[in-house]
Amino acid sequence: MDRHPNRTTVGTANTGGGGYQPEPYDIPYRAIVARKIENLLVAGRCHSATAAAASSTRVTATAMALGQAAGTAAALAHKLGTSVAALNGIRLREELVAQGAGPFTDA
Ligand SMILES: Cc1cc2nc3c(=O)[nH]c(=O)nc-3n(C[C@H](O)[C@H](O)[C@H](O)COP(=O)(O)OP(=O)(O)OC[C@H]3O[C@@H](n4cnc5c(N)ncnc54)[C@H](O)[C@@H]3O)c2cc1C
């Protein structure tokens, strides 16, 4: 977790307890699907997440994985003749697993 404070802090770099390393986790497809604009995916750092979750999900390797997921979702939606919002996230994950993406915790 690379969590930055939202205000100026006091103390030293050695106070405050430091960060922690979460267990591996999956990112739901809906985190990159725009709610109000049809057929728009939002990959990389600007995906939807809480501040705490984003302290892990916004880093470079994950941003790259989100880009791969968005590109794959766009291609899959086009192939299936549907919108990205209507695309089944599990179907997308199957496609990503076939590409060797992941690992996923539930695949
Ligand atoms: C100071 C700093 C240090 C970091 N250190 C690390 C680290 O050590 N390890 C790590 O994993 N991550 C680190 N990160 C985080 C990581 O760099 C970012 O989360 C990651 O680069 C996000 O990738 P992205 O593709 O989502 O966005 P970005 O890399 O920000 O790419 C977005 C691109 O969109 C372009 N753009 C913006 N607006 C428009 C527009 N209107 N039209 C066209 N193009 C546009 C921008 O020019 C940019 O090229 C750091 C970030 C910062 C700021």
Side-chain angles (χ1 to χ4, degrees), residues 3-29:
R3 192 161 194 191
H4 299 199
N6 61 4
R7 61 184 169 80
T8 304
T9 54
V10 293
T12 71
N14 295 321
T15 58
Y20 60 96
Q21 180 72 30
E23 292 288 325
Y25 58 87
D26 297 330
I27 299 174
Y29 176 49

Side-chain angles (χ1 to χ4, degrees), residues 3 8 24 27 45 48 57 59 62 73 75-76 88-89 103 105:
R3 192 161 194 191
T8 304
I27 299 174
R45 182 166 23 187
S48 177
T57 57
V59 294
T62 316
L76 194 56
N88 184 311
T105 63

Side-chain angles (χ1 to χ4, degrees), residues 74-101:
L76 194 56
H78 180 69
K79 187 173 148 187
L80 298 174
T82 187
S83 70
V84 292
L87 192 66
N88 184 311
I90 294 172
R91 176 73 183 84
L92 171 60
R93 189 174 60 198
E94 288 169 356
E95 194 77 15
L96 290 167
V97 168
Q99 293 174 12

